[in-house]
Amino acid sequence: MNKGFIDVVVGLQWGDEGKGKNIDELLSSKLYFGVARFHGGANAGHTLKLGSITFIGHIVPSGCLHKNIELYIGNGVVVDVMSLVSEMRQLKDVGFNITKRLYISDRAKLVSYLHPFLDQADEHRRNKLGTKVGSTSRGIGPAYSDVRARRALLIGDVQLPDFEQKEKILSEFHMNLLNLYRDKYGFEIPEEKIKEARAKWIEAVKELKKLQICDVSSLVLKRLSEGKNILAEGAQGLMLDMDFGDYPNVTSSNVLPVNVCLGLGVPHTYIRDIYGVMKAYTTKVGGGNFPSRIKDEALEKAFQKAGNEFGATTGRPRMCGWIDMFALRRAISLSGVNKIFINKADICLSDKIKVVTGYKSGTKVFKEFPLYLDQVTDVVTEEIPGWGNKNFGISDKKKVSKELASYLDYIKSKLSDLDVKIVSVGTGPDRNHFFNWDK
Ligand code: IMP
């Protein structure tokens, strides 16, 4: 019989839904013993707030600002060791030394110092073809390519005597690739920059060796057998899933919650609730079509400003769009989400808001989600009343404006066949800026 359980939190849109804040909210229930990352790398960015402390994490799991929570980095993660060491240092500086409660899987993979350059080089190639993905340039694609091609460095390798040799072989291979990008596509990285990156990486690897590298799958299974519950933290969002996102404008890992089993090393029987996180509107960074994008430039800018829609990893302004129920229904169906968090519901900047309910190509209305979003030329929309700035900071369901209440009912009615609950609605950046809805 299973003793503990795993709940999963995933993004339902294009990432940046505010998952970190919801994880914080879930942790305050004291139900969980640990938080685990199971895919992705330092391309993710979660902003965590605690009193006067604001911490932007990329690779350290959310939950780092809760002193009794264990943190796990699963085998499915590609670890940017420089980010890891720097985030740990920043956390220590504000009184959160996580060294003794962070466990890194020996089967997780190392992002090398040349992976970000390879990422930039391939983006340069794609740019020439007009097919830029808008990668965060954190080396995620090249790192996962090495994993699939069976030449990656595992985190556990750093403890083995042949690590230097393995690293040399891989770096040589990467340099050959970079030379190819130079000769064929005119992309060149100055030698000095490579030397500098290598020196920093070697230092960070030395720090990594001092950390708790272990079989995280066994550890998590042990915790579960002790009756302890774990929260699995998704990165990015369903529209960026390698298989079900808008390929090739996707990230290089599977965002879907079933990937918890593979990326953490646990059987599916432990999985209990799947929380899906969305914003009351939609944002996107990077390449590819964005069907629900707001066409009024000034209104889009106003959303960027009001929602502080600038990338936590890259600082890029995020494109803003109306809520896309067509994409959301698919994300929820694919992921088996049963509970929903809606964030940034305080932000509403017009009297009427649009809801995208379908996609069109010319006069044809899509019945199924299209193979490529580029095929979408127009959208089907409905219009409902907006609520202005009436709901900022509300934490009591009874105080919610009638327009926002009817918006939440509207979303539920659109999802009525999917058996989901809207558990909580965010109304501002602080920990207490939310109200429970369907509980
Ligand atoms: P990569 O995973 O960094 O190569 O980026 C691939 C695509 O995913 C790009 O369009 C990025 O903008 C997007 N992306 C990756 N991570 C995030 C994230 O955490 N939030 C939003 N978009 C992301």
Side-chain angles (χ1 to χ4, degrees):
M1 201 183 81
N2 294 342
K3 288 184 178 166
F5 57 79
I6 300 176
D7 284 345
V8 190
V9 177
V10 289
L12 290 174
Q13 295 161 319
W14 269 276
D16 309 316
E17 297 92 353
K19 297 176 282 294
K21 182 173 179 247
N22 302 120
I23 287 171
D24 199 57
E25 198 177 319
L26 287 167
L27 290 178
S28 65
S29 68
K30 308 272 181 236
L31 258 181
Y32 306 99
F33 189 76
V35 178
R37 281 280 308 264
F38 59 94
H39 75 102
N43 48 350
H46 39 248
T47 305
L48 305 173
K49 284 180 190 267
L50 177 70
S52 60
I53 301 170
T54 300
F55 170 70
I56 300 178
H58 300 284
I59 190 78
V60 165
S62 298
C64 49
L65 297 182
H66 290 254
K67 285 202 160 147
N68 299 318
I69 292 287
E70 279 193 352
L71 307 168
Y72 315 103
I73 294 181
N75 56 282
V77 177
V78 288
V79 180
D80 180 326
V81 67
M82 291 192 282
S83 248
L84 179 70
V85 168
S86 144
E87 287 173 39
M88 290 179 74
R89 209 169 283 146
Q90 286 171 51
L91 282 166
K92 197 173 171 195
D93 288 347
V94 290
F96 291 84
N97 186 346
I98 61 167
T99 316
K100 292 212 170 87
R101 57 189 175 100
L102 173 72
Y103 299 89
I104 307 161
S105 169
D106 52 2
R107 289 170 191 271
K109 285 76 186 175
L110 254 183
V111 173
S112 102
Y113 63 98
L114 292 173
H115 282 142
F117 294 136
L118 285 166
D119 222 350
Q120 289 166 30
D122 207 50
E123 197 70 326
H124 176 86
R125 180 189 66 84
R126 284 188 297 249
N127 196 25
K128 289 195 161 187
L129 300 169
T131 55
K132 215 172 159 186
V133 165
S135 167
T136 59
S137 298
R138 291 300 192 108
I140 307 302
Y144 277 115
S145 304
D146 280 350
V147 175
R148 290 297 183 202
R150 296 160 296 187
R151 56 175 175 252
L153 296 170
L154 306 184
I155 291 288
D157 283 337
V158 301
Q159 297 173 317
L160 300 178
D162 61 349
F163 174 68
E164 263 179 49
Q165 179 63 10
K166 274 190 181 163
E167 186 273 312
K168 202 169 151 239
I169 292 169
L170 187 63
S171 294
E172 223 172 84
F173 179 76
H174 288 162
M175 281 311 299
N176 289 337
L177 285 178
L178 283 171
N179 290 341
L180 176 89
Y181 279 108
R182 182 197 58 208
D183 299 343
K184 192 127 176 80
Y185 304 101
F187 180 85
E188 192 158 8
I189 304 276
E191 214 172 295
E192 268 318 296
K193 248 183 147 178
I194 293 179
K195 271 194 189 148
E196 200 184 304
R198 181 178 160 78
K200 283 190 186 151
W201 187 80
I202 300 267
E203 277 313 301
V205 168
K206 273 188 203 153
E207 294 297 310
L208 172 70
K209 283 186 189 166
K210 297 180 205 157
L211 302 179
Q212 302 183 95
I213 297 172
C214 64
D215 180 343
V216 163
S217 161
S218 293
L219 176 63
V220 168
L221 287 171
K222 181 167 177 286
R223 294 291 182 251
L224 291 163
S225 74
E226 291 163 354
K228 289 163 179 152
N229 309 320
I230 308 294
L231 201 53
E233 173 183 17
Q236 288 87 41
L238 261 293
M239 290 301 291
L240 292 169
D241 182 271
M242 182 84 219
D243 286 88
F244 292 96
D246 179 32
Y247 192 91
N249 301 296
V250 292
T251 190
S252 298
S253 64
N254 283 108
V255 174
L256 279 171
V258 286
N259 193 23
V260 167
C261 302
L262 292 171
L264 201 52
V266 290
H268 73 279
T269 44
Y270 280 106
I271 295 179
R272 193 187 70 154
D273 285 326
I274 301 191
Y275 290 90
V277 184
M278 58 186 263
K279 283 193 277 215
Y281 52 95
T282 317
T283 59
K284 171 177 160 76
V285 277
N289 193 8
F290 181 22
S292 77
R293 186 169 186 184
I294 293 170
K295 292 198 175 81
D296 175 340
E297 222 176 288
L299 186 59
E300 183 183 43
K301 281 224 157 67
F303 265 99
Q304 277 167 358
K305 191 159 175 247
N308 192 22
E309 299 296 355
F310 298 91
T313 304
T314 59
R316 293 179 290 183
R318 299 173 186 143
M319 295 177 273
C320 297
W322 303 111
I323 193 163
D324 182 344
M325 290 309 297
F326 192 60
L328 276 166
R329 273 189 63 83
R330 175 169 174 271
I332 291 166
S333 313
L334 276 171
S335 55
V337 158
N338 60 330
K339 294 183 174 173
I340 293 181
F341 285 105
I342 301 185
N343 287 329
K344 296 197 175 175
D346 54 307
I347 294 167
C348 177
L349 303 168
S350 45
D351 299 342
K352 294 229 155 74
I353 58 172
K354 284 192 181 152
V355 178
V356 170
T357 55
Y359 291 168
K360 284 162 91 175
S361 179
T363 52
K364 176 190 150 197
V365 177
F366 285 95
K367 286 202 179 81
E368 305 290 339
F369 208 78
L371 179 62
Y372 293 113
L373 282 186
D374 277 353
Q375 296 166 341
V376 178
T377 55
D378 201 359
V379 286
V380 183
T381 57
E382 289 176 7
E383 216 169 48
I384 59 170
W387 51 89
N389 57 5
K390 290 180 205 161
N391 296 284
F392 178 77
I394 283 180
S395 53
D396 179 357
K397 183 179 173 174
K398 293 192 206 97
K399 294 193 178 146
V400 174
S401 78
K402 67 175 190 317
E403 297 88 355
L404 177 54
S406 69
Y407 179 63
L408 299 175
D409 289 340
Y410 172 87
I411 292 175
K412 272 214 73 177
S413 72
K414 292 278 175 202
L415 302 171
S416 57
D417 55 320
L418 294 177
D419 204 17
V420 287
K421 279 183 174 175
I422 298 173
V423 288
S424 161
V425 180
T427 55
D430 289 351
R431 259 190 177 173
N432 59 345
H433 285 165
F434 72 91
F435 58 86
N436 294 323
W437 188 247
D438 267 342
K439 264 199 242 180

